Amino acid sequence: MKQWLIAAMAGCAAMGVQAETLTVEMNKVNDQGIASAVGTVKIETTDQGLVFRPDLSGLNAGAHGFHVHANGSCQPAEKDGKPAAAVAAGGHWDPKNAGKHGEPWGEGHMGDLPVLVVDAEGKANQPVLAPRLKSLGDLKGHALMVHEGGDNYSDEPKPLGGGGARVACGVIE
């Protein structure tokens, strides 16, 4: 995490400033529906943007695409003629109609977040900063998604960063 963000958060804590926070319950998902709980992601406001603080376990090690999706659902839906995990969440949240996947600090979808890193024990607890996101209220009614693969912040060579299947999801309320 960048040193300036750590310093800003420490300063707020020292002054007794309480950041506004949302907690999202995250669950594994498959083509049959919502499966077991994997933990939570707390989202809080800072002067630098929204910080996503995962406390997740039971995921495959490595980098995973991490995004806010358009719809507040983690249910399966039909994709290419067969049921697929959490497809009811729709695509990446794109209120400005960028129409492209991009860097969390760039000009792509507003729902494009930094990758989620899962350690060798299957745990993710490293916070990520989404500098373009400023308001928790804007996220309510959307889904927070963890994808099977990583994210190269581009639509090339594979669409939407190449994250692939949806493996964990939570509704932001």
Side-chain angles (χ1 to χ4, degrees):
M1 186 191 298
K2 295 194 179 223
Q3 294 302 323
W4 57 266
L5 179 57
I6 292 170
M9 293 174 140
C12 286
M15 293 185 305
V17 175
Q18 191 77 4
E20 187 181 0
T21 305
L22 286 175
T23 300
V24 182
E25 301 289 331
M26 300 292 289
N27 296 286
K28 284 190 176 181
V29 291
N30 58 42
D31 63 359
Q32 301 300 306
I34 297 170
S36 59
V38 294
T40 61
V41 175
K42 289 186 179 183
I43 309 168
E44 67 183 42
T45 58
T46 73
D47 289 342
Q48 292 80 30
L50 297 182
V51 174
F52 291 72
R53 296 183 176 282
D55 184 10
L56 305 173
S57 61
L59 299 172
N60 291 335
H64 295 268
F66 191 42
H67 308 104
V68 175
H69 281 246
N71 305 322
S73 176
C74 294
Q75 295 297 318
E78 193 170 295
K79 181 179 179 182
D80 300 326
K82 55 186 174 185
V87 171
H92 296 178
W93 180 49
D94 190 19
K96 294 186 178 184
N97 297 312
K100 65 179 182 177
H101 185 63
E103 300 164 329
W105 49 88
E107 298 177 2
H109 308 127
M110 290 296 286
D112 296 338
L113 302 175
V115 295
L116 181 74
V117 177
V118 178
D119 68 19
E121 287 80 40
K123 296 180 180 181
N125 54 25
Q126 192 73 301
V128 299
L129 174 66
R132 295 187 305 149
L133 300 179
K134 303 295 185 187
S135 169
L136 293 174
D138 291 343
L139 300 183
K140 291 181 180 180
H142 299 287
L144 186 59
M145 194 73 63
V146 177
H147 291 266
E148 180 177 54
D151 189 337
N152 69 0
Y153 306 124
S154 174
D155 283 322
E156 299 293 331
K158 293 184 177 180
L160 303 173
R166 300 165 185 204
V167 297
C169 180
V171 176
I172 304 169
E173 299 175 338

